[in-house]
Amino acid sequence: MKIIASPSKYIQGKNIIENFKSIVETFGKNNLIIADSFVTSIVKEPIENSKGSKDTKVSFNLFNGECSKNEINRIVKIVNEHNYDCIVGVGGGKTLDTAKAVSFYTKKPVVIMPTIASTDAPTSALSVIYTDDGAFEEYLMLPKNPDIVMIDTEIVSNAPTRLLVSGIGDALSTYYEAKVCFDAKAIAMSGGQSTLAALALAKLCRDTLLAEAYEAKISSDLKLVNEALEHIIEANTYLSGIGFESSGLAAAHAIHNGLTVLPETHHMFHGEKVAFGTISQLILQNEIEEAKKIITFCKKIGLPTTLEELGIKDNIREKVKEVSIASCAPGETIHNFPYKITPDMVESAILTADALGKL
Ligand SMILES: [Zn+2]
C-alpha cells in the first residue's frame, strides 16, 4: 500500500500575516493562538490588526517553552473552557508540536505558523513530547496533518541565518533517504510505501537546495526576501516535510540520532548533524562523487563537514564507534536499507566522511 500525507493547505508569502484573520476564520470566529513571549511580541499587533471579519476574535496564550504533557493538558483545559473553534501555533518546533497535540486532544482544527525554517517538522502528523525538564519522552503520532500550514517569509527572513542553514541541512537529507526507502519499499511515517509524487517532491527539494541555497543564505544575512529565499523556505518546510513523512528516513537521520549520544554535539542544531549524516550515508552507499558534491555545497553555505566542527575533538575512534552502534540500534531508520547495515560499516563511512570533509 502506498500513502502520501500532507497538510490540507500550505500558504507561503511575504507579509501574509496581514491576512491572518481571514485565513483562520474559515474554521470559526473564536481562535486561540499559542506563542512564546518573544514571538508574541513580534506577531500580536499584526495579527490583531489583520484583515478579516469584524467579529473574528483572536486570543493569545503564552507557551511555557516545553512541549510536555502538563503544558498540553493546561492548554486543552483552556480550549475546552472557552470553546475555541481553532488552535493556532505560532513559533518554533515545540510551540507547533504543542498546538498539534492540543488540536488532537480537543478535536479542533489546527493552523501551524512557523516563524523559522529550521526543520521540516511543521507539515507532519507528529508531535515530539518532552518531560517538563526537557528530556525526550515519546512521539505522539497524530491521525491527521495540520489543516493549514502558513509561513510568512518576511518573518522568517528576520530570524538568524544559522536557523535557515540548519533547515537546509535537514532538507538536504530528504531525497537521499527517500530514495533508499522508495527502492526498498519501506514503510514511511505515513503508514505506507512511498509514492512517485513524494519521491518527486524530495528530488525537487534537493535540486532546489543545490541551485538556490547559497543565494537564499545571502538574502537571510541581509534580511531581505527574494525568490531564492522563498524557494528555500518552501524546500525546507513543504518539499522536505512531505518528502520525509511520505517516503521515509534512512541512514542520515539514524547517524544524527547516533551523534546525539555524545554530549559535545548537543550545541549543534538538528539539521547541522543531519547534513553530516547525509555525507556519511552517501559514503555508506559508495556514492563518493555525490558525497564530494555535497561536501562542497555544505562548506559553501556553512554546514559542518568534519567531526571537529560537530564538537568531537578527542578519542575520535572510540566515540565514532559509540555513535555507529547507536545509529544501528533496533528500530532505527538505518534498517530501511534493502541490505543489512552494521555498526562497522557506519564507523567506516563516518571516518571517511570526516577525512573527505577535511580536504
Ligand atoms: Zn530531520
Side-chain angles (χ1 to χ4, degrees):
M1 178 174 67
K2 297 175 173 65
I3 298 179
I4 183 162
S6 70
S8 306
K9 196 180 270 192
Y10 178 79
I11 309 172
Q12 180 186 305
K14 187 175 156 103
N15 298 323
I16 56 165
I17 199 167
E18 291 170 5
N19 301 312
F20 186 92
K21 282 184 192 166
S22 64
I23 291 168
V24 300
E25 69 193 7
T26 52
F27 301 115
K29 301 289 184 198
N30 196 14
N31 303 288
L32 179 69
I33 296 157
I34 308 162
D36 65 26
S37 54
F38 174 70
V39 170
T40 302
S41 72
I42 299 170
V43 302
K44 193 164 191 272
E45 216 182 294
I47 285 178
E48 284 173 345
N49 298 328
S50 62
K51 288 173 210 144
S53 302
K54 280 201 175 59
D55 51 350
T56 295
K57 286 186 288 181
V58 285
S59 307
F60 282 80
N61 194 278
L62 274 191
F63 174 57
N64 83 359
E66 201 50 80
C67 180
S68 65
K69 283 180 179 160
N70 282 336
E71 178 66 350
I72 294 163
N73 291 338
R74 179 184 74 81
I75 304 170
V76 164
K77 229 172 125 199
I78 294 169
V79 172
N80 289 335
E81 271 168 24
H82 295 83
N83 199 24
Y84 288 111
D85 297 314
C86 174
I87 325 297
V88 187
V90 186
K94 291 189 178 200
T95 312
L96 307 181
D97 278 4
T98 303
K100 287 187 211 175
V102 170
S103 151
F104 168 62
Y105 290 118
T106 57
K107 298 189 168 49
K108 303 283 184 180
V110 64
V111 175
I112 293 297
M113 186 173 184
T115 51
I116 51 179
S118 65
T119 74
D120 55 15
T123 58
S124 70
L126 173 77
S127 288
V128 186
I129 311 294
Y130 295 84
T131 64
D132 288 323
D133 303 326
F136 170 79
E137 190 163 333
E138 63 178 346
Y139 291 113
L140 177 64
M141 307 297 279
L142 304 167
K144 71 175 182 63
N145 296 67
D147 296 274
I148 294 179
V149 173
M150 59 185 282
I151 185 156
D152 188 317
T153 50
E154 173 72 22
I155 295 174
V156 174
S157 76
N158 283 308
T161 300
R162 188 178 163 199
L163 291 168
L164 182 84
V165 169
S166 172
I168 292 167
D170 196 22
L172 189 60
S173 73
T174 305
Y175 173 65
Y176 300 111
E177 295 188 281
K179 186 71 170 70
V180 167
C181 294
F182 185 92
D183 291 344
K185 298 191 186 304
I187 302 298
M189 217 177 79
S190 61
Q193 295 165 358
S194 180
T195 55
L196 287 172
L199 187 67
L201 293 185
K203 189 163 191 296
L204 179 61
C205 177
R206 193 269 317 256
D207 295 347
T208 305
L209 296 177
L210 294 182
E212 297 184 77
Y214 185 63
E215 200 183 332
K217 177 192 179 302
I218 293 170
S219 308
S220 175
D221 285 340
L222 298 172
K223 313 247 170 276
L224 294 171
V225 178
N226 60 15
E227 272 308 281
L229 183 64
E230 288 271 356
H231 290 165
I232 294 308
I233 292 171
E234 183 182 340
N236 285 10
T237 313
Y238 186 75
L239 300 176
S240 180
I242 293 178
F244 103 82
E245 186 176 12
S246 293
S247 289
L249 301 173
H253 272 78
I255 291 170
H256 161 278
N257 293 345
L259 286 166
T260 63
V261 302
L262 303 178
E264 56 261 58
T265 68
H266 289 182
H267 67 291
M268 300 301 286
F269 292 159
H270 174 79
E272 293 171 332
K273 285 178 271 202
V274 171
F276 185 80
T278 303
I279 299 165
S280 305
Q281 175 179 320
L282 287 167
I283 290 163
L284 192 60
Q285 294 174 280
N286 204 25
E287 300 276 357
I288 305 299
E289 285 315 307
E290 193 69 13
K292 284 185 186 162
K293 191 166 97 182
I294 296 303
I295 288 170
T296 306
F297 171 82
C298 287
K299 284 184 173 170
K300 196 170 176 192
I301 63 161
L303 283 164
T305 61
T306 65
L307 293 168
E308 190 176 350
E309 286 173 307
L310 290 168
I312 306 162
K313 292 175 181 156
D314 50 14
N315 299 327
I316 289 188
R317 286 285 174 124
E318 206 176 288
K319 285 175 182 172
V320 169
K321 195 177 270 301
E322 212 183 317
V323 168
S324 305
I325 292 168
S327 306
C328 296
E332 259 305 345
T333 54
I334 208 162
H335 304 300
N336 282 334
F337 264 77
Y339 46 89
K340 189 170 166 54
I341 304 289
T342 62
D344 277 7
M345 293 158 78
V346 177
E347 196 181 326
S348 155
I350 291 176
L351 292 170
T352 309
D354 179 52
L356 288 175
K358 285 181 190 155
L359 294 178

